[in-house]
Amino acid sequence: MLCGMSETPVKQQNTAAYYGQAVASFAIALGATAVGITRLHADAWVRAFLGIAVLYLVTSAFTLAKVVRDRQEAGQIVSRVDQARLEKLLAEHDPFQKV
């Protein structure tokens, strides 16, 4: 692995079925929550508060997922730069070179 071979991690791609399942799951969960809130036997202000809370939770979850993904991608870039530096040093180093 340290012999100058460049191993770049394979970019993971999600299948269309996985993507579709994730979108469908999200839509069903959000829809079921909306139906539950609208059919709740409570005052309108309570239902409105719960609706706003669900929307806030959803947007916060999207933001958190993006932050985690961005941090992971930044870590991969730093790792690639460090690996390239190491490979350059190893390529330039000749253990049999006379001093």
Side-chain angles (χ1 to χ4, degrees), residues 1-13:
M1 186 168 180
L2 295 177
C3 300
M5 290 192 305
S6 177
E7 283 192 24
T8 56
V10 176
K11 187 157 181 143
Q12 188 176 10
Q13 295 290 334

Side-chain angles (χ1 to χ4, degrees), residues 74-86:
Q76 288 176 346
I77 291 171
V78 170
S79 174
R80 286 184 188 169
V81 169
D82 289 343
Q83 183 178 1
R85 286 182 184 155
L86 177 63

Side-chain angles (χ1 to χ4, degrees), residues 10-92:
V10 176
K11 187 157 181 143
Q12 188 176 10
Q13 295 290 334
N14 294 330
T15 64
Y18 180 79
Y19 179 77
Q21 182 181 4
V23 170
S25 176
F26 174 77
I28 290 169
L30 194 58
T33 304
V35 168
I37 289 173
T38 57
R39 296 185 53 93
L40 186 66
H41 296 294
D43 292 336
W45 71 269
V46 173
R47 290 193 307 268
F49 175 80
L50 291 174
I52 294 293
V54 167
L55 289 177
Y56 181 63
L57 179 64
V58 168
T59 57
S60 297
F62 278 119
T63 302
L64 178 62
K66 183 185 179 316
V67 167
V68 169
R69 184 200 62 205
D70 290 348
R71 180 175 280 185
Q72 180 187 15
E73 287 178 354
Q76 288 176 346
I77 291 171
V78 170
S79 174
R80 286 184 188 169
V81 169
D82 289 343
Q83 183 178 1
R85 286 182 184 155
L86 177 63
E87 288 178 1
K88 181 180 177 205
L89 285 172
L90 289 174
E92 293 173 351

